[in-house]
Every structure is written in C-alpha cells, then in structure tokens.
C-alpha cells in the first residue's frame, strides 16, 4: 500500500510537470507566431499567461518536498523526486525565454524584420522537439531518448552560430536596423539557452535512471 501511494503521488507530479511542458511549448509557439505575424496582442498574452506556469512550478516543488518528508524515499526514488524538482525549474526558465521572446517582439513592433533569412523558426522547432522528448524520456525512463536530446542540442548550437553570423553581418551592412537586429540576436540567444535547459532535463533523467551524472551537452 505504501508503494502504491508513492507511485500515485509520483504520477501526479509527472502529470503536473507534463502540464508545465505543454504550456511552455504553447507559450513558445505563440511567441514565435507573434513574432512572425507581428501580433502585439498575442505577444502580451504570452507574458500574461506565464503566471500559470510559475504557479505549477511552485505546486510541484511543494508536493515534492512533502513527498520526501512523508515517504522518506531512498536511492532511485529519491533521485526521481530530485530530478522532478530540477526539471520543473528548467521548464520554468524555458517558459521565461518564451516571455523574453514575446517582449523582444513588442520591441521590434511593426518594423519589417529579416526573420525569414534566419533559421530561428527551425531552431525553435528543434528545441520544442527536444522538450517533448526530454519529458517522454523521463516518463518512460528511456536513457537512449535522453541521449538523443543531447544530440539534438548540437543542431540547435549550429543554428545558433549560423544565425549569430548572419545577423551580425546584417548589422554591419544595415546599421539603421540596429533595434530589430539586436532583438533577433536576443531571440537567437533565448532559444539556444532554452535548448541548454532542455539538455539539463535530459541529464536529470539520466541521473534518475543510472544514478550517476552525465554530460549530454
């Protein structure tokens, strides 16, 4: 019965974390849609809705701490709870990058952008694919999938470098476009940092499964 209660509580934690992931993916998709369509109202929605993700992180942390105190888990179960706490923090930071992207979109406002010349959208798509896979890797305790997330991060890093080169060269050629170019450089950085946090999530999963630290970056 004790084990059944623990598993029930862990499933509830996983469900809450899965909800965080879904909301974060939605936030990032909406932020990029706002960027592509220069939709200031949609960008503001992303900023306002971030509170829900913050609240979920707090719920997860409180429940995880309660579970540790109540069940006093050891070994693998303790690693599982610690991974949930670390991963929920990473998800919250990724959601913050979606908010930052929305704020950058507002700063660009209605100016014509060179977004289509970059691989920012593809980079975002890869990062969100990583996020979904990292969550699945944790739920399924799939070490191979966790390692795949780390491999996808290499693709994001390449796009990050390519975008940086393209945008800095454009800035030299068109210094009058400094505001929009700087904001796109910031967005490039936000997505790259989001991918780093997702890789951290995969490393937390690997730690939970194997009981040792992995560097998947």
């Amino acid at each position: 019965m004790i084990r059944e209660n623990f598993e029930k509580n862990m499933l509830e934690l996983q469900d809450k974390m899965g909800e965080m992931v879904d909301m974060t993916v939605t936030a990032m998709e909406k932020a990029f849609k706002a960027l592509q369509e220069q939709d200031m109202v949609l960008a503001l929605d992303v900023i306002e809705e971030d509170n829900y993700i913050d609240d979920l992180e707090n719920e997860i942390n409180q429940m995880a701490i309660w579970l540790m105190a109540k069940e006093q888990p050891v070994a693998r179960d303790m690693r599982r709870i610690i991974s949930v706490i670390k991963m929920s923090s990473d998800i919250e930071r990724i959601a913050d990058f979606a908010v930052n992207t929305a704020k950058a979109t507002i700063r660009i406002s209605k100016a014509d952008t060179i977004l289509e010349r970059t691989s920012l959208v593809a980079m975002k798509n890869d990062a969100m694919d990583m996020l979904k896979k990292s969550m699945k890797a944790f739920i399924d305790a799939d070490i191979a999938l966790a390692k795949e997330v780390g491999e996808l991060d290499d693709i994001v890093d390449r796009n990050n470098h390519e975008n940086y080169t393209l945008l800095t060269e454009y800035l030299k050629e068109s210094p009058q476009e400094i505001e929009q170019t700087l904001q796109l450089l910031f967005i490039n950085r936000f997505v790259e940092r989001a991918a780093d946090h997702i890789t951290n999530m995969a490393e937390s999963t690997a730690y939970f499964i194997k009981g040792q630290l992995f560097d998947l970056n």
Side-chain angles (χ1 to χ4, degrees):
M1 179 60 73
I2 293 175
R3 184 68 196 177
E4 287 179 7
N5 286 336
F6 177 80
E7 285 298 329
K8 181 180 177 182
N9 287 320
M10 280 305 307
L11 285 174
E12 186 177 346
L13 271 177
Q14 286 181 188
D15 286 345
K16 287 182 182 294
M17 194 162 69
E19 187 179 352
M20 269 189 86
V21 166
D22 290 344
M23 292 177 70
T24 298
V25 170
T26 297
M28 189 65 82
E29 295 293 352
K30 287 173 72 172
F32 264 79
K33 188 172 189 290
L35 176 64
Q36 290 172 286
E37 299 179 3
Q38 297 182 318
D39 187 334
M40 302 303 109
V41 174
L42 188 58
L44 286 171
D45 284 345
V46 173
I47 296 167
E48 292 170 0
E49 291 167 2
D50 186 56
N51 289 333
Y52 297 113
I53 297 173
D54 292 341
D55 290 343
L56 264 175
E57 185 200 10
N58 289 332
E59 286 180 30
I60 289 169
N61 287 341
Q62 289 172 12
M63 186 174 178
I65 292 169
W66 170 83
L67 195 56
M68 283 192 287
K70 180 177 180 290
E71 302 290 348
Q72 297 183 329
V74 294
R76 183 181 172 94
D77 289 338
M78 177 62 82
R79 296 198 306 269
R80 192 173 171 191
I81 296 174
I82 291 171
S83 294
V84 166
I85 294 172
K86 292 177 66 178
M87 290 173 72
S88 65
S89 175
D90 283 316
I91 298 165
E92 190 275 333
R93 289 296 297 123
I94 298 161
D96 283 346
F97 290 127
V99 169
N100 291 345
T101 298
K103 289 179 178 177
T105 294
I106 292 170
R107 293 188 184 102
I108 292 172
S109 188
K110 294 295 182 179
D112 291 334
T113 75
I114 59 165
L115 177 65
E116 70 281 356
R117 298 193 202 176
T118 73
S119 58
L120 276 168
V121 174
M123 186 177 167
K124 177 267 299 179
N125 290 340
D126 286 335
M128 293 303 96
D129 186 36
M130 288 171 63
L131 180 53
K132 294 170 189 174
K133 286 183 175 179
S134 69
M135 187 65 210
K136 182 172 173 53
F138 180 79
I139 292 171
D140 296 345
D142 187 338
I143 189 72
L145 190 56
K147 290 178 179 178
E148 186 178 327
V149 171
E151 292 166 2
L152 285 170
D153 187 47
D154 293 337
I155 297 174
V156 173
D157 285 341
R158 284 198 296 272
N159 282 332
N160 169 54
H161 292 310
E162 290 170 6
N163 288 330
Y164 180 82
T165 300
L166 184 150
L167 289 167
T168 51
E169 286 299 318
Y170 180 78
L171 189 56
K172 293 175 186 176
E173 297 166 7
S174 307
Q176 72 278 9
E177 299 291 342
I178 184 169
E179 182 60 27
Q180 68 129 319
T181 309
L182 283 176
Q183 295 306 323
L184 291 175
L185 279 166
F186 288 143
I187 291 170
N188 187 53
R189 178 62 172 162
F190 299 150
V191 178
E192 187 271 335
R193 290 293 296 125
D196 284 346
H197 279 277
I198 297 164
T199 303
N200 290 345
M201 292 171 63
E203 290 172 352
S204 292
T205 291
Y207 167 72
F208 148 56
I209 298 168
K210 295 293 187 179
Q212 63 187 78
L213 298 176
F214 285 81
D215 184 0
L216 301 178
N217 200 333

